[in-house]
Amino acid sequence: MKSFQLLLLLVLFSFSSSAQKKYTETPKGNFTLVQNNGGQTLGYSPGSGVKIISADGFAFKDLNRNGVLDKFEDWRLPAATRAKDLASKLKIEEIAGLMLYSAHQSVPARSSGYFSGTYNGAPFKPGETDPTELTDQQKKFLKEDHLRHVLITVVQSPEIAAQWNNKLQAYCESLDNGIPANNSSDPRHGTRAKAEYDAGSGGEISMWPGTLGLAASFDPALAEAFGQIAATEYRALGITTALSPQVDIATEPRWIRFNGTFGESPSLSAAMAEAYCNGFQTSTGKKEIRDNWGFGSVNAMVKHWPGGGAGEAGRDAHYANGKFAVYPGNNFDAHLIPFINGAFKLKGKTKTASAVMPYYTISWNQDKKNNENVGNSYNQFLINDLLRNKYKYDGVVCTDWGITGDHKSMDNFLDGKSWGVESLSLAERHYKILMAGVDQFGGNNDAKPVIEAYQIGVNAHGEAKMRARMEASAVRLLMNIFRVGLFENPYLDPAETKSIVGKPEFMKAGYDAQLKSVVMLKNKSNALPATGKKTVYMPKRFVAASRNFLGVESPSTNDYPFSIDLVKKYFNVTDNPNEADFALVVIQNPLPSGGYDKTDLQKGGNGYIPISLQYNTYSATGARETSIAGGDPMESFINRSYKDKTTIASNSTDAQLVNETYAKMNGKPVVVAIQTTNPMVFSEIEKSATAILVSFGVQDQAILDIISGKAEPSALLPMQMPADMGIVESQKEDVPFDMNCYKDSERNIYDFGFGMNWKGIIRDARAGKFRK
């Protein structure tokens, strides 16, 4: 009898124990999935040393291997509670590592030059080196420097990206407190012009128009849809932070980064910023953890506070010659609108963009407290007083890349960008940034200067204050990792990644958006659409030899701008203008110089030259006699004026091509398609064009679909097109809508919000709504 009772008790105990267990484990190759019934799904690497512990029947990852369920390991708790608990446990060295954001990492690493790396001491060799492995450099900065924020550039394929991610996360899981990597990306959804779209097939990633193209739709819902799809693809690649959107108001038409913005309207930029961030950050359904954050969310790092679109004379702050943003129109506050009324005021539950990046620029004479002219990330007034205190922003603030490096050149893209603080030591620069209220150092793999900056603070303020300062940043940084579910499951199924990234419905959404982004500026005598199987003459286009910002050279070419095979699917093609019904001339807007030329310096000048928005030779007779801002340790002068100097666009032959084709066609229609990055002066080519289409980064096929009438143009200009370069010189760098615009032969004015469809000028409410 006693034996029977004992057996019954054992059975009941066994039943009770199994009933309390609310999770199952499933091996998935090099990681294991743990599914909690009614809770979060976990993923861990069996080789990392992390074990599963149970509480209330649920499974949790024992990330610090102490056999106890710490608050930061408990997925039932709010992200803020978990972040504060973990931050309090971290050593200063570990917090310093969290404050690093890696230099650019390609998968696999390049064998030499920028983005290069080694594998067991040797460079990558195709066919021999496993592209999914971590580089020696990555293992070092993850282990020795405690870095956990990784910037990913090109990847060999989505599947390789997923496999690399899993090895990266397993390595991180084996270290310290098992803090996962928060991988990020600059925008990666651009188009390959000659790629052919097929509704029944996918691609490596969906292709969308550039940011200006999204703005040209004047449709924030389109930006939100992009954000949702891009976030899905990012998560499938292991990316949980987007270094976007770029919401600088493009009030200076010559700026080289104009094409990364939403144009020059503060209200349009704010609306697009809000929609974009909401799309990226919002998780719903099973993917939601709490307050729309979850496994479908991607942190949005909005840039560039407080706006980088007012660079003097259009020069860019990646270079010492462009370090100053100026405000001759006293319009500084307008540049904050896309942040405070857009990215920081989301309609979704995530409420605000989770991170923000200041630009390199010195916002000239805008420090109302200390009157300091230093780079924005160094400026306590702009970060602590304005961003943190006045606008109550408590997300992550991350510097732009390389701002603590030494400045050695006036015109090198990869030079250090310590604008205004060049005399400080490396540790002092980090300290000044910390005390300004910044949390993270972009492009820095080395924790030593952060630790040295901490020690400077200890000497000045005491250990308790500096520990609290470091922990405040650690909490913000950890919040962005907790909220997207990385502590629970950072692992990917490569087969699932392959099925998600670039799947047909995503490709179709991107292509449809491209069609909505093309602006028709002119359509004399209803030359478009060119329906039926007409015959087209498409002249070859000469492209001069060039060198990109990394110094990589491209040889000159003289070829058809579109694939002839693709054009033949729409029209008959001839090389004889006399046989053609119309001509199609494909060009780019005038490509501006960077505004600085060492040749001028060698001739006794100051090195500064005009940035032109016209094709042919331009002489800057109307430029300022004296620059607003100036000064650099490498220069013996202050005045950066380029008055009376001349320049010419590197693609001046594009204007010749249009005009020569017009002459050859003897009155027959000439359709001009312009790939556009900046406003431009149209007077050199407009009269030779029967129809003009302007695009902002689309596939060639989208242009052909519109020309042939398969799609109708619906987009509007998100910026003004100046009447001439004299107007450009007289406009104020910080003020939108302050140019007299070009009037064409049909008496149409190429102003903000102008666009045409087959019926003529588009007169809907969009332009008026966003010009306010």
Side-chain angles (χ1 to χ4, degrees):
M1 184 66 179
K2 289 182 179 179
S3 298
F4 174 79
Q5 290 174 330
L6 181 60
L7 179 61
L8 181 60
L9 287 171
L10 289 171
V11 170
L12 289 172
F13 179 80
S14 176
F15 177 81
S16 175
S17 298
S18 63
Q20 289 179 355
K21 185 177 179 181
K22 301 175 183 177
Y23 62 90
T24 57
E25 298 192 45
T26 307
K28 301 287 288 187
N30 58 359
F31 67 96
T32 297
L33 278 185
V34 183
Q35 294 175 309
N36 280 297
N37 183 17
Q40 299 301 334
T41 296
L42 314 180
Y44 74 99
S45 170
S48 70
V50 165
K51 305 295 183 185
I52 294 297
I53 56 177
S54 180
D56 302 323
F58 292 114
F60 302 86
K61 293 163 70 174
D62 185 14
L63 291 165
N64 61 5
R65 304 160 186 81
N66 67 353
V68 176
L69 179 60
D70 294 282
K71 287 182 180 180
F72 83 90
E73 297 165 336
D74 191 341
W75 44 258
R76 298 169 298 184
L77 297 175
T81 302
R82 301 175 71 187
K84 289 175 184 176
D85 178 61
L86 180 52
S88 71
K89 292 176 165 61
L90 297 179
K91 300 173 184 176
I92 286 299
E93 292 78 7
E94 293 172 292
I95 295 178
L98 274 178
M99 300 177 93
L100 304 178
Y101 222 127
S102 82
H104 302 69
Q105 307 294 309
S106 59
V107 180
R110 291 174 55 172
S111 58
S112 61
Y114 204 48
F115 308 154
S116 65
T118 58
Y119 300 82
N120 294 321
F124 180 81
K125 292 183 179 179
E128 294 183 21
T129 311
D130 183 351
T132 70
E133 289 294 331
L134 303 185
T135 66
D136 302 329
Q137 294 75 21
Q138 289 161 0
K139 291 176 182 176
K140 178 186 180 300
F141 64 57
L142 291 168
K143 184 176 183 178
E144 296 179 20
D145 294 285
H146 307 283
L147 183 149
R148 289 297 181 273
H149 293 80
V150 182
L151 173 55
I152 300 172
T153 56
V154 294
V155 296
Q156 187 169 311
S157 72
E159 303 98 294
I160 285 174
Q163 292 168 342
W164 177 85
N165 169 81
N166 289 352
K167 291 180 179 179
L168 170 75
Q169 298 294 4
Y171 190 73
C172 291
E173 195 173 82
S174 72
L175 302 172
D176 304 326
N177 290 282
I179 300 173
N182 180 0
N183 299 328
S184 71
S185 174
D186 281 309
R188 60 193 312 119
H189 281 83
T191 60
R192 288 180 290 113
K194 294 186 183 298
E196 186 173 356
Y197 170 70
D198 179 355
S201 66
E204 288 193 353
I205 197 165
S206 61
M207 293 190 287
W208 295 71
T211 315
L212 268 181
L214 288 175
S217 74
F218 278 61
D219 182 7
L222 186 63
E224 185 161 359
F226 163 71
Q228 292 167 344
I229 289 173
T232 302
E233 293 182 307
Y234 273 27
R235 290 305 299 255
L237 292 167
I239 296 168
T240 45
T241 293
L243 302 187
S244 59
Q246 183 188 340
V247 304
D248 312 90
I249 306 172
T251 49
E252 169 47 61
R254 295 165 288 189
W255 189 31
I256 196 172
R257 299 197 68 179
F258 194 108
N259 66 322
T261 74
F262 290 118
E264 66 179 296
S265 163
S267 59
L268 177 59
S269 297
M272 300 300 280
E274 191 279 329
Y276 187 110
C277 294
N278 214 44
F280 264 97
Q281 292 189 169
T282 300
S283 289
T284 57
K286 293 181 179 179
K287 290 186 176 181
E288 183 178 8
I289 297 173
R290 186 172 302 188
D291 296 331
N292 282 155
W293 287 107
F295 295 100
S297 300
V298 171
N299 294 289
M301 184 180 289
V302 61
K303 56 191 187 184
H304 303 90
W305 177 265
E312 184 165 18
R315 294 185 295 270
D316 180 63
H318 277 86
Y319 307 92
N321 59 67
K323 66 169 70 171
F324 300 109
V326 295
Y327 301 88
N330 296 315
N331 202 39
F332 175 84
D333 287 347
H335 289 257
L336 307 183
I337 289 173
F339 298 93
I340 62 178
N341 292 344
F344 297 168
K345 194 178 290 185
L346 307 186
K347 295 182 179 71
K349 294 179 184 177
T350 66
K351 296 184 180 179
T352 184
S354 67
V356 63
M357 180 190 295
Y359 203 37
Y360 296 113
T361 45
I362 295 172
S363 295
W364 186 252
N365 288 344
Q366 297 307 304
D367 183 341
K368 308 303 182 185
K369 184 178 181 180
N370 302 309
N371 298 314
E372 265 198 315
N373 280 311
V374 294
N376 292 334
S377 288
Y378 291 97
N379 194 298
Q380 189 175 69
F381 171 76
L382 294 178
I383 306 302
N384 258 335
D385 295 358
L386 202 61
L387 179 62
R388 296 286 193 206
N389 295 334
K390 182 175 181 178
Y391 294 111
K392 309 302 180 186
Y393 184 77
D394 196 34
V396 167
V397 179
C398 177
T399 75
D400 214 327
W401 263 234
I403 75 162
T404 58
D406 288 335
H407 162 40
K408 301 174 183 176
S409 171
M410 294 300 297
D411 62 349
N412 189 325
F413 183 88
L414 300 179
D415 193 32
K417 299 164 178 59
S418 49
W419 308 148
V421 296
E422 291 91 345
S423 63
L424 297 182
S425 69
L426 186 62
E428 288 169 339
R429 291 172 196 164
H430 283 76
Y431 175 68
K432 187 171 180 63
I433 289 169
L434 276 177
M435 301 317 288
V438 175
D439 303 297
Q440 200 164 29
F441 302 92
N444 182 7
N445 300 351
D446 184 1
K448 292 185 184 67
V450 184
I451 297 169
E452 290 172 1
Y454 166 78
Q455 194 57 53
I456 293 173
V458 169
N459 294 338
H461 306 290
E463 188 169 0
K465 182 174 180 177
M466 279 309 294
R467 172 76 199 193
R469 169 65 192 89
M470 299 286 277
E471 277 194 34
S473 286
V475 169
R476 295 184 187 115
L477 292 159
L478 289 167
M479 283 275 286
N480 288 355
I481 306 177
F482 278 114
R483 288 189 294 203
V484 297
L486 284 172
F487 274 88
E488 277 56 71
N489 182 22
Y491 296 97
L492 303 171
D493 180 341
E496 189 174 306
T497 291
K498 184 178 180 180
S499 70
I500 290 173
V501 179
K503 66 181 180 179
E505 51 263 53
F506 291 173
M507 298 297 288
K508 183 180 188 306
Y511 188 75
D512 289 346
Q514 292 179 48
L515 294 173
K516 294 176 182 177
S517 74
V518 178
V519 182
M520 184 164 69
L521 293 181
K522 187 177 182 181
N523 194 20
K524 185 177 181 180
S525 303
N526 295 320
L528 296 181
T531 56
K533 196 75 170 178
K534 287 187 166 58
T535 300
V536 63
Y537 165 63
M538 185 172 65
K540 292 181 178 180
R541 175 177 180 249
F542 173 76
V543 178
S546 62
R547 184 192 303 267
N548 72 8
F549 66 93
L550 293 177
V552 179
E553 295 184 355
S554 296
S556 63
T557 60
N558 189 25
D559 203 354
Y560 294 111
F562 286 2
S563 162
I564 288 293
D565 291 337
L566 179 61
V567 177
K568 285 179 179 178
K569 294 184 178 182
Y570 293 81
F571 307 107
N572 297 315
V573 177
T574 180
D575 284 330
N576 185 351
N578 296 324
E579 298 175 352
D581 296 309
F582 74 99
L584 171 58
V585 185
V586 182
I587 59 174
Q588 278 191 285
N589 63 289
L591 297 177
S593 71
Y596 189 84
D597 187 358
K598 286 181 178 177
T599 303
D600 177 76
L601 201 62
Q602 292 163 0
K603 293 179 179 178
N606 62 2
Y608 292 87
I609 62 171
I611 298 176
S612 175
L613 300 180
Q614 68 182 42
Y615 289 104
N616 296 317
T617 300
Y618 165 63
S619 181
T621 56
R624 295 183 182 112
E625 292 273 3
T626 305
S627 63
I628 293 174
D632 186 273
M634 296 186 69
E635 294 178 334
S636 59
F637 54 86
I638 299 296
N639 187 9
R640 294 182 167 195
S641 175
Y642 50 85
K643 184 176 172 58
D644 295 330
K645 294 180 183 179
T646 61
T647 189
I648 187 170
S650 62
N651 62 329
S652 60
T653 51
D654 279 354
Q656 298 173 26
L657 186 64
V658 173
N659 296 322
E660 289 170 359
T661 303
Y662 170 78
K664 291 177 182 178
M665 291 300 291
N666 291 314
K668 290 183 287 186
V670 176
V671 177
V672 178
I674 310 173
Q675 162 64 33
T676 312
T677 61
N678 288 77
M680 60 178 281
V681 175
F682 274 87
S683 58
E684 298 160 306
I685 63 168
E686 178 269 320
K687 290 180 175 61
S688 295
T690 314
I692 298 174
L693 296 172
V694 167
S695 63
F696 308 96
V698 300
Q699 293 168 252
D700 299 341
Q701 188 174 353
I703 301 296
L704 292 170
D705 274 349
I706 288 176
I707 290 172
S708 65
K710 289 185 177 181
E712 184 173 10
S714 61
L716 309 174
L717 284 177
M719 72 282 212
Q720 295 183 315
M721 295 294 183
D724 54 51
M725 278 304 299
I727 293 295
V728 174
E729 292 290 0
S730 62
Q731 59 86 38
K732 295 178 173 63
E733 284 94 334
D734 59 324
V735 178
F737 312 136
D738 65 339
M739 294 194 293
N740 292 330
C741 298
Y742 182 77
K743 181 186 288 188
D744 71 9
S745 62
E746 307 306 294
R747 304 193 65 76
N748 291 324
I749 298 174
Y750 296 173
D751 202 349
F752 174 87
F754 177 77
M756 303 180 74
N757 57 22
W758 303 144
K759 296 178 182 178
I761 299 173
I762 298 172
R763 302 186 188 279
D764 56 31
R766 290 178 291 171
K769 178 180 180 181
F770 292 117
R771 184 153 185 158
K772 296 176 182 177

